[in-house]
Amino acid sequence: MGKYSKYRAYKGNIIYSQDKDTLISKENSYILVLDGIVKGIYPALPEEFPKENVMDWGNNLIIPGFCDMHVHAPQFLQRGIGMDRELLDWLTTYTYPTEAKFKNAEHARKVYTLFVDELLRQGTLHVNCFPSIHYQASEILFDILEQKGLFAFTGKLNMDQNSPAYYIEETEQSLIDTEKFIEQHQNTSQVKPSIVPRFTITCSEKLLAGLGDLCQKYEVPVHSHMCEAVNEMKVVKELFPGYKNGAEIFYKNNLLGQRPTIMAHCIFMDDDVLALMENPNCLAVHCPEATANINAGGIMPVKKLLQRGINLAIGSDIGSGASLSIARAIANTIQHSKIRNMFDPQWEAVNLAEAFYMATRSGGRYFNQVGAFDEGYCFNTLVIDDSNMFGEELTPVERLERFCYAGDDRNICMRYLLGKEVEI
Amino acid sequence: MGKYSKYRAYKGNIIYSQDKDTLISKENSYILVLDGIVKGIYPALPEEFPKENVMDWGNNLIIPGFCDMHVHAPQFLQRGIGMDRELLDWLTTYTYPTEAKFKNAEHARKVYTLFVDELLRQGTLHVNCFPSIHYQASEILFDILEQKGLFAFTGKLNMDQNSPAYYIEETEQSLIDTEKFIEQHQNTSQVKPSIVPRFTITCSEKLLAGLGDLCQKYEVPVHSHMCEAVNEMKVVKELFPGYKNGAEIFYKNNLLGQRPTIMAHCIFMDDDVLALMENPNCLAVHCPEATANINAGGIMPVKKLLQRGINLAIGSDIGSGASLSIARAIANTIQHSKIRNMFDPQWEAVNLAEAFYMATRSGGRYFNQVGAFDEGYCFNTLVIDDSNMFGEELTPVERLERFCYAGDDRNICMRYLLGKEVEI
């Protein structure tokens, strides 16, 4: 057995983010992979490298799989509907009735299977899921994610107040079920349990305090929404008069920054909130399409947060977002930042390097070394065949840009998870 | 032969715009068609209607084909590239070199064939094309559009100043070629010649005056850009000190309002310009994706123009837009109007009925009765199969909305032009 007998090499035009400003592009190069882990990138292979272990992707692009850091799994079949409605109207007319159906395990299995298949189709290999309140459905989602090999966080949703009678929990039971869910999944590998309070409006302080205790006891990450809409923030103020804002409610209940904390939206943040989110445990998730669809009154000042060094990622936020394509969300992030800049010129628009970083490496740090091709990173990878768009004279980075703006899932010709080909 | 022997009937959930505020939705109904022309919509067929003349599309949606009222055909292979650049930089780095290649007829035939095929694939059956300056390439585009059966306007582009040395014309030759092009295509049916000055910056007053004369002599429509970007408007002011603005330049040279006039962008319009555009001959084309990509300094105040009764349509504006999908442009129109509204609350966001109207009936009025299903309209039609998105409990209009936000060309299972099935 030669030195390289267990290695695999993947040849193509390799692109990944080094940091928020830098895209690394290595044309016609080889990624060496051992047991699903990247060992290095080289312009050529040693002579003794076994030919049969080389997968030559020719002129195709090889990029890290995307990270969707905020997506409501039970809203998958609800995407693109009721987009002309206001947030609260939309929630009560479409969203809560849709989520309540996940009491039915058969329905959950059907929809979650479709959902996870579509994630893979769109090149999302790493996902942070928002579930429903139902214990059994949450288990089903966990199992499907695990079976399909994705890297994921998911939990059991918590909501014990300001919710419709048909879709609400008792506080104690919500805590008992959450603890049971975490305990059931203590020793999992790529899919990990998280604590998922819907948002402060639908969670009593007793529930939040209990969840904060669980978060500390089991060292699990938190996933919620924060500073999303002008109206939402007003209601939070009324419900929690003892706190300055929603971020402080989470923080003082051990749900912000003490453990990895993933907060969707973060559109309206004053200096106090920004200071809390500068904690390296925290990640703010920009959901461009959702923000544009369900009018929140503003959009995240992405450039400002990037410049302050706050960790940022991208979420599809299905079902207020309509597309599971994170490539398209990269384009949307840039486009929406430009429109914001037209009317509020103090923050520059976001560029391709920054948006791609958010969608891969930056979101990826919440999993186990994914979203880039540094040595030691998981070979969780997409191969992009853009030959249907032509352009022999383009650079690989120009082709990556074009894929994000003008391509779709049909351009993803292969997906790898830990070096294994993903069947879809 | 029975009374209905030459009729065809198409059954499904039929949706079209009555006016900007009203979507007509007729569930499980029949469109009767004679020689490619709509004769009426009925809940049932007369008993004697021949069964073999009925095409039952079941639960699918039946909608008018889309109108793309501003698209640069030679930029088709350039879409989605250089999006982080400023307009003038983008034009000189990517666009002018790309268009200059259409001097080569073989290249033109290859790219224009791909372009027209993709229009059809995306459900665009009616198109207003921006060509290159090359006579032969413009003829090739005209021929391909005609062969494939689309309803279209296209011409030969004019530019005789402020253009790179490798991509510019002599004034006289530009006028001679334009007249020749129009004369060649006097008696065509669905594809019609138009006059296409690039924009006032690249056209001398002598050229514009000559084009205005041709426009009057041959009664052909005009297609150009206007009031697009802050920088562009500054340059126009410097180049044409005798005029108040770009619209007046076109107007006084018989290129605005005297004949059907299709002007892309129309983002920055003062009351003088608005008054000119209120002419029923005029159409302003909103290109949401392009406006967001190549930062113009603002976006069209769509609701304002709709409320003033100005004719509005939607354009993909490939290559500063990246997608030829007008369905996606409908969603973008709504989304971008919401973002504008967040920062400039004086104009409400656009809704689905308004955006769909712009994309079908409103653009369609510049062709021969297309974009709706009134009696006498051409049966230029798309059949939408959205069964992959489920949702048995949704209304047809909700499903139309979902198709625009979350669907793609794979949901278009049939295209008809004048009642004939389109092969793609």
Side-chain angles (χ1 to χ4, degrees):
Chain A
M1 296 275 278
K3 182 180 171 191
Y4 293 106
S5 63
K6 290 186 169 174
Y7 278 71
R8 296 288 176 277
Y10 302 88
K11 181 164 185 267
N13 296 302
I14 300 157
I15 306 177
Y16 66 99
S17 291
Q18 185 174 65
D19 53 45
K20 77 178 171 64
D21 299 311
T22 317
L23 282 173
I24 304 273
S25 172
K26 307 211 173 192
E27 295 191 37
N28 293 313
S29 295
Y30 299 83
I31 304 191
L32 259 59
V33 174
L34 181 62
D35 297 332
I37 303 298
V38 174
K39 305 309 282 185
I41 301 176
Y42 303 94
L45 291 176
E47 277 217 358
E48 67 267 37
F49 198 93
K51 298 283 171 287
E52 66 274 19
N53 290 4
V54 179
M55 180 65 218
D56 186 348
W57 283 108
N59 192 38
N60 291 338
L61 306 178
I62 298 178
I63 65 173
F66 292 120
C67 303
D68 186 343
M69 296 308 282
H70 178 65
V71 55
H72 292 262
Q75 296 174 25
F76 178 57
L77 293 189
Q78 186 200 327
R79 63 200 192 280
I81 301 166
M83 300 282 91
D84 288 341
R85 302 205 180 217
E86 292 300 317
L87 176 60
L88 287 183
D89 182 17
W90 176 81
L91 279 171
T92 51
T93 308
Y94 290 101
T95 307
Y96 291 154
T98 296
E99 291 191 12
K101 289 184 192 163
F102 286 74
K103 193 175 175 182
N104 179 321
E106 199 182 331
H107 178 74
R109 187 171 303 284
K110 175 192 152 192
V111 178
Y112 286 156
T113 301
L114 291 168
F115 166 69
V116 175
D117 286 348
E118 183 67 13
L119 284 174
L120 290 171
R121 192 172 294 118
Q122 296 293 343
T124 294
L125 306 183
H126 321 105
V127 63
N128 183 34
C129 291
F130 225 86
S132 73
I133 62 173
H134 312 96
Y135 186 89
Q136 196 185 358
S138 301
E139 288 283 358
I140 288 169
L141 177 58
F142 197 105
D143 288 350
I144 295 171
L145 288 163
E146 206 168 36
Q147 281 162 28
K148 303 264 181 180
L150 284 85
F151 285 48
F153 294 116
T154 192
K156 194 210 79 61
L157 185 61
N158 308 103
M159 45 200 286
D160 71 341
Q161 66 177 21
N162 299 313
S163 307
Y166 62 84
Y167 192 50
I168 191 167
E169 307 171 291
E170 294 294 329
T171 311
E172 283 304 327
Q173 194 61 47
S174 181
L175 289 167
I176 289 168
D177 287 351
T178 302
E179 183 158 16
K180 184 175 156 200
F181 189 91
I182 296 167
E183 285 192 333
Q184 283 290 327
H185 302 292
Q186 277 293 284
N187 298 309
T188 52
S189 50
Q190 277 95 252
V191 185
K192 292 182 188 299
S194 59
I195 285 179
V196 195
R198 183 167 209 118
F199 58 161
T200 52
I201 292 177
T202 60
C203 297
S204 68
E205 200 163 350
K206 189 177 165 196
L207 177 60
L208 291 170
L211 293 173
D213 291 344
L214 292 177
C215 183
Q216 295 310 98
K217 180 176 172 188
Y218 293 97
E219 303 191 1
V220 284
V222 182
H223 178 197
S224 192
H225 302 92
M226 194 175 81
C227 307
E228 175 175 4
V230 174
N231 287 346
E232 167 249 327
M233 291 173 72
K234 260 188 220 158
V235 177
V236 171
K237 260 291 193 204
E238 289 161 19
L239 288 172
F240 296 88
Y243 293 94
K244 280 192 287 188
N245 51 53
E248 198 185 57
I249 302 168
F250 284 127
Y251 174 68
K252 292 206 169 163
N253 285 288
N254 289 317
L255 291 166
L256 194 147
Q258 295 85 359
R259 300 288 163 201
T261 305
I262 302 174
M263 286 289 169
H265 305 306
C266 299
I267 294 170
F268 305 97
M269 301 202 290
D270 61 18
D271 283 343
D272 289 343
V273 180
L274 285 168
L276 286 175
M277 287 299 288
E278 276 168 0
N279 181 328
N281 267 339
C282 293
L283 177 75
V285 186
H286 178 47
C287 307
E289 211 192 2
T291 302
N293 285 339
I294 301 297
N295 195 330
I299 56 175
M300 182 196 272
V302 177
K303 197 77 164 201
K304 175 181 174 181
L305 305 194
L306 280 172
Q307 287 178 358
R308 282 190 73 137
I310 290 174
N311 294 320
L312 289 188
I314 292 180
S316 66
D317 199 8
I318 294 282
S320 46
S323 167
L324 272 182
S325 165
I326 294 297
R328 182 165 163 180
I330 288 173
N332 283 338
T333 295
I334 299 169
Q335 290 170 344
H336 295 187
S337 77
K338 286 177 180 171
I339 301 178
R340 188 194 160 111
N341 174 262
M342 293 175 200
F343 293 94
D344 177 23
Q346 64 176 318
W347 302 106
E348 270 173 54
V350 176
N351 63 37
L352 178 71
E354 290 164 336
F356 188 77
Y357 168 77
M358 288 165 68
T360 54
R361 189 178 195 111
S362 183
R365 69 195 288 278
Y366 288 79
F367 302 98
N368 180 33
Q369 296 198 296
V370 306
F373 295 137
D374 300 4
E375 190 181 340
Y377 271 53
C378 301
F379 190 66
N380 294 355
T381 299
L382 309 178
V383 182
I384 309 298
D385 176 353
D386 58 352
S387 54
N388 68 326
M389 295 193 272
F390 300 88
E392 296 73 15
E393 75 286 7
L394 300 178
T395 66
V397 170
E398 285 171 331
R399 291 167 52 198
L400 173 67
E401 180 182 27
R402 184 176 61 173
F403 164 65
C404 292
Y405 279 84
D408 66 27
D409 57 282
R410 287 168 282 194
N411 295 112
I412 306 176
C413 65
M414 181 53 75
R415 298 141 185 93
Y416 293 104
L417 273 161
L418 285 171
K420 288 202 184 98
E421 295 189 0
V422 176
E423 283 178 27
I424 63 160
Chain B
M1 296 275 277
K3 180 179 171 194
Y4 293 106
S5 63
K6 290 186 169 175
Y7 278 72
R8 295 289 177 276
Y10 302 88
K11 181 164 187 269
N13 296 303
I14 300 158
I15 306 176
Y16 66 99
S17 290
Q18 185 174 68
D19 53 44
K20 77 178 172 62
D21 299 313
T22 317
L23 282 173
I24 306 273
S25 172
K26 306 210 173 191
E27 296 191 39
N28 292 314
S29 295
Y30 298 83
I31 305 192
L32 258 58
V33 174
L34 181 63
D35 297 331
I37 303 297
V38 174
K39 305 309 282 184
I41 301 177
Y42 303 95
L45 291 176
E47 277 216 359
E48 67 267 36
F49 199 94
K51 299 281 172 290
E52 65 274 20
N53 290 4
V54 180
M55 181 65 217
D56 186 349
W57 283 108
N59 192 37
N60 290 340
L61 306 178
I62 298 179
I63 64 172
F66 292 119
C67 303
D68 187 343
M69 296 309 283
H70 178 66
V71 55
H72 292 261
Q75 296 174 26
F76 177 57
L77 292 189
Q78 185 200 329
R79 63 201 191 282
I81 301 166
M83 300 282 93
D84 288 342
R85 302 205 181 218
E86 292 299 316
L87 177 60
L88 288 181
D89 182 16
W90 176 81
L91 279 171
T92 51
T93 307
Y94 290 100
T95 306
Y96 291 153
T98 296
E99 291 191 11
K101 288 185 193 163
F102 286 75
K103 194 176 175 182
N104 179 321
E106 197 181 333
H107 179 74
R109 188 171 303 281
K110 174 192 153 191
V111 177
Y112 285 155
T113 302
L114 291 167
F115 166 68
V116 176
D117 285 348
E118 183 67 13
L119 283 174
L120 290 172
R121 191 173 295 117
Q122 296 294 344
T124 294
L125 307 183
H126 321 106
V127 63
N128 183 35
C129 292
F130 225 85
S132 74
I133 63 172
H134 312 96
Y135 186 88
Q136 195 184 358
S138 301
E139 288 283 357
I140 288 168
L141 176 57
F142 197 104
D143 289 349
I144 295 170
L145 288 163
E146 206 168 36
Q147 281 161 29
K148 303 261 182 183
L150 285 86
F151 285 48
F153 295 116
T154 192
K156 193 211 78 62
L157 187 60
N158 307 102
M159 44 199 285
D160 71 342
Q161 66 176 22
N162 299 312
S163 307
Y166 62 84
Y167 192 49
I168 192 167
E169 305 171 290
E170 295 295 330
T171 311
E172 284 303 328
Q173 194 61 47
S174 181
L175 289 168
I176 290 167
D177 288 351
T178 303
E179 184 158 16
K180 183 175 155 200
F181 190 89
I182 296 168
E183 285 193 332
Q184 283 290 329
H185 302 292
Q186 277 294 285
N187 298 308
T188 52
S189 50
Q190 276 95 252
V191 184
K192 292 181 188 300
S194 59
I195 286 180
V196 195
R198 184 167 208 118
F199 57 163
T200 52
I201 291 177
T202 60
C203 297
S204 69
E205 199 163 349
K206 189 178 166 197
L207 177 60
L208 291 170
L211 293 173
D213 291 344
L214 293 176
C215 183
Q216 296 310 100
K217 181 175 171 189
Y218 293 97
E219 304 191 2
V220 283
V222 182
H223 178 197
S224 191
H225 302 92
M226 193 174 82
C227 308
E228 175 175 5
V230 174
N231 288 345
E232 166 250 327
M233 292 173 71
K234 261 190 219 158
V235 177
V236 170
K237 259 290 194 204
E238 288 161 19
L239 288 172
F240 297 87
Y243 293 94
K244 280 191 288 189
N245 49 54
E248 199 187 55
I249 302 168
F250 284 127
Y251 174 68
K252 292 207 170 162
N253 285 287
N254 289 316
L255 291 166
L256 194 146
Q258 295 84 0
R259 300 288 161 200
T261 305
I262 301 173
M263 285 289 167
H265 305 307
C266 299
I267 294 169
F268 304 98
M269 302 202 288
D270 60 20
D271 284 342
D272 289 343
V273 180
L274 285 167
L276 286 175
M277 288 299 288
E278 276 168 0
N279 181 328
N281 266 338
C282 294
L283 178 75
V285 186
H286 178 48
C287 306
E289 210 191 3
T291 302
N293 286 339
I294 300 296
N295 196 330
I299 57 175
M300 183 195 273
V302 177
K303 196 77 165 201
K304 175 181 173 180
L305 305 194
L306 280 173
Q307 287 179 356
R308 282 189 73 137
I310 290 174
N311 293 321
L312 290 187
I314 292 180
S316 67
D317 200 9
I318 292 282
S320 46
S323 166
L324 272 182
S325 165
I326 294 297
R328 183 164 161 181
I330 288 173
N332 283 338
T333 294
I334 300 168
Q335 290 170 344
H336 294 186
S337 77
K338 287 176 181 172
I339 301 177
R340 189 194 158 110
N341 174 263
M342 293 175 200
F343 292 95
D344 177 24
Q346 64 176 317
W347 302 106
E348 271 175 52
V350 177
N351 63 38
L352 178 71
E354 291 163 335
F356 188 77
Y357 168 77
M358 289 165 67
T360 54
R361 187 178 198 111
S362 183
R365 69 194 287 278
Y366 288 80
F367 303 98
N368 179 32
Q369 297 198 294
V370 307
F373 295 136
D374 299 6
E375 191 181 340
Y377 270 53
C378 301
F379 191 65
N380 293 355
T381 299
L382 308 179
V383 182
I384 309 299
D385 176 354
D386 58 352
S387 54
N388 69 325
M389 295 193 272
F390 300 86
E392 295 73 14
E393 75 287 7
L394 300 178
T395 66
V397 170
E398 285 171 331
R399 290 166 53 200
L400 173 67
E401 180 182 27
R402 184 176 62 174
F403 164 66
C404 292
Y405 279 84
D408 65 27
D409 57 282
R410 287 168 282 195
N411 296 112
I412 306 176
C413 64
M414 181 53 73
R415 299 142 186 90
Y416 292 103
L417 273 160
L418 285 171
K420 288 201 184 100
E421 296 190 0
V422 176
E423 283 178 27
I424 62 161

